[in-house]
Amino acid sequence: MVPLGSIFRKHGISFLCYADNTQIYLPLTQKSKNSLNSILDYLEDFKAWMSLNFLKLNKDKTEILLGLELRLSS
């Protein structure tokens, strides 16, 4: 059984795990290697891990928060 953290690290994702909650952090920039495809690849690995460990993602409690950094020109 592969620990969940191994999947996060494989995709370059920072994470915090609590008893009943996991938060992941993936920076996205225009110049970043991280793209929508890499997020989808991660999600496929994550869903496969959940299935192998007889777990199910609760879609009603799943949230995605996107942040945007704005830089003002001087």
Side-chain angles (χ1 to χ4, degrees), residues 6-67:
S6 297
I7 295 171
F8 292 137
R9 285 186 283 279
K10 172 184 169 185
H11 292 279
I13 295 173
S14 300
F15 62 96
L16 293 171
C17 292
Y18 302 97
D20 64 348
N21 185 17
T22 302
Q23 296 176 357
I24 63 170
Y25 303 91
L26 180 64
L28 297 173
T29 64
Q30 289 180 342
K31 297 177 184 177
S32 176
K33 293 186 298 184
N34 299 321
S35 66
L36 182 57
N37 287 336
S38 64
I39 294 171
L40 294 175
D41 290 343
Y42 156 72
L43 289 173
E44 286 303 315
D45 285 351
F46 180 70
K47 287 191 313 188
W49 182 91
M50 296 279 285
S51 178
L52 286 171
N53 290 282
F54 307 103
L55 298 170
K56 184 178 176 184
L57 187 67
N58 186 339
K59 293 180 183 180
D60 293 334
K61 291 186 177 182
T62 301
E63 296 177 341
I64 297 175
L65 302 174
L66 299 175

